[in-house]
Amino acid sequence: MKTRITELLGIQYPIIQGGMAWVADYHLAAAVSNAGGLGLIGAASMPGDVLRTQIQEAKKLTDKPLGVNVMLLSPYADDVARIVVEEGIKVVTTGAGNPSKYMEMWKAAGIKVIPVVASVALAKLMERGGADAVIAEGTESGGHIGAATTMTLVPQVVDAVSIPVIAAGGIGDGRGIAAAMMLGAEAVQMGTRFCVAKECIAHDNYKQKIIKAKDIDSEVTGRTHGHPIRSLRNPMTKEYLRLEKEGASFEELEHLTLGSLRAAVVDGDVKMGTVMAGQIAGMVKEEQTCEEMISEMMEQASKLLGR
Ligand code: TUI
């Protein structure tokens, strides 16, 4: 399935893996790339030296195109932005902010820059600033989210910019891929489904929590202080939402979730940890290899799209 995105990135299938903090390490990134999509190392949780090692390890596992996701709220963002250049990374996606201050450095290094946007306004700004494509991410996604749904955001971004648009949020199978294409997207970004990939290093408790989740099992915490996060309902989200309702301070809430993503992903604490996952978790039913997931989804999408 050729699109401007498969051509731009030199990949076989229009599938990009989300750059999930703690979850998307070099094992997952290399597996997605080897299966014909674009794998990304999620640098949100990584100091510069850790990212450097991760990139070098990934390159031992794959010679296919490979990217890095730069989470702009990370305290290491400046180091990470420089290290992707030094390590010869050719594709960068960004999340949770405006990457304009790094754009010139990345473009000069020949990096394809693909920011995640949650609004038409930011998509237009990114196009003017030289972005090669944008990822329009709907509120169905896991983790840090915007307000618009994928169904409404994607076609509005497609109409507003000339660069190719990648759809994200609530896409977990071939039907989702086909639907995204019908909305004008030229690829999809998927996170939650890849969380349960065999090659993914997330703790088995985390994977099982996603596999057991039903359609309405996610919650959004943090709306009151402007950083909404979608994760699967557990004792932590219940306590967080109770505190938010009582008007708890940012510091109190922060105290509850400090280190909680790592606790869930690495230590398997799915009770008081943050199990970030999208609304599609209810449809994710089994652990498979990235190769199995991608070939199954592409077969389904191709049939539906008649190509
Ligand atoms: O970045 C994400 N999702 C994430 S990052 C993350 S790590 C984290 N851990 C703890 C606390 C907070 C984050 C977990 N999930 N998705 C991409 C994304 N970007 N979604 C929405 C946006 C976004 C929102 C507003 C991008 C730009 C924006 O406006 C920027 C501006 O300055 O105008």
Side-chain angles (χ1 to χ4, degrees):
M1 202 180 288
K2 262 194 187 177
T3 70
R4 282 190 292 169
I5 292 293
T6 60
E7 297 295 294
L8 177 75
L9 303 178
I11 55 178
Q12 194 178 355
Y13 303 119
I15 298 178
I16 291 170
Q17 167 233 314
M20 302 162 284
W22 291 105
V23 170
D25 88 331
Y26 72 91
H27 295 95
L28 182 61
V32 172
S33 288
N34 282 333
L38 181 78
L40 288 111
I41 296 167
S45 55
M46 298 177 187
D49 54 337
V50 175
L51 175 65
R52 199 187 294 282
T53 310
Q54 287 271 327
I55 294 171
Q56 290 165 358
E57 291 301 317
K59 284 180 178 169
K60 289 181 195 165
L61 298 181
T62 186
D63 53 8
K64 298 266 175 66
L66 178 94
V68 169
N69 172 264
V70 180
M71 207 280 275
L72 297 160
L73 293 172
S74 161
Y76 317 114
D78 286 347
D79 284 348
V80 162
R82 179 176 43 81
I83 283 163
V84 295
V85 175
E86 290 172 9
E87 292 298 318
I89 286 293
K90 291 292 168 225
V91 189
V92 162
T93 65
T94 66
N98 179 339
S100 296
K101 72 169 174 168
Y102 303 122
M103 203 70 111
E104 204 181 304
M105 171 176 68
W106 287 339
K107 297 305 297 174
I111 294 176
K112 307 273 188 275
V113 184
I114 312 184
V116 170
V117 299
S119 67
V120 165
L122 191 63
K124 284 174 146 175
L125 190 68
M126 294 297 99
E127 178 175 52
R128 278 204 301 278
D132 295 279
V134 288
I135 301 169
E137 190 180 285
T139 196
E140 297 92 324
S141 298
H144 180 81
I145 51 169
T149 60
T150 303
M151 181 74 111
T152 57
L153 182 66
V154 172
Q156 292 185 79
V157 171
V158 166
D159 287 347
V161 298
S162 315
I163 52 177
V165 176
I166 298 163
I171 301 167
D173 67 6
R175 292 172 298 179
I177 297 172
M181 298 294 195
M182 297 306 287
L183 296 177
E186 298 188 51
V188 298
Q189 176 194 266
M190 296 190 348
T192 304
R193 178 113 188 232
F194 286 126
C195 269
V196 309
K198 287 208 168 117
E199 297 91 341
C200 173
I201 47 101
H203 196 286
D204 195 51
N205 293 353
Y206 197 105
K207 293 183 177 178
Q208 291 309 317
K209 180 96 180 150
I210 290 175
I211 287 170
K212 288 190 188 123
K214 299 195 184 67
D215 52 350
I216 54 170
D217 282 349
S218 75
E219 295 277 17
V220 179
T221 55
R223 285 200 196 277
T224 50
H225 57 83
H227 285 297
I229 298 275
R230 183 181 302 284
S231 63
L232 295 179
R233 187 182 301 110
N234 65 1
M236 184 284 292
T237 62
K238 281 187 189 143
E239 176 65 2
Y240 197 111
L241 292 171
R242 188 185 67 76
L243 286 170
E244 274 194 296
K245 216 167 168 185
E246 285 176 0
S249 68
F250 175 72
E251 287 71 27
E252 266 179 281
L253 295 166
E254 184 84 340
H255 181 70
L256 184 65
T257 51
L258 201 67
S260 66
L261 180 59
R262 183 188 190 284
V265 178
V266 180
D267 308 328
D269 180 359
V270 294
K271 294 204 161 63
M272 289 314 287
T274 302
V275 187
M276 291 185 189
Q279 290 185 327
I280 206 68
M283 225 168 67
V284 175
K285 291 288 172 238
E286 58 174 337
E287 202 174 338
Q288 290 171 301
T289 64
C290 292
E291 160 77 39
E292 286 165 350
M293 289 180 183
I294 289 178
S295 57
E296 181 187 297
M297 289 190 290
M298 284 312 303
E299 194 181 315
Q300 192 180 22
S302 304
K303 253 187 212 152
L304 288 169
L305 293 166
R307 47 171 148 149

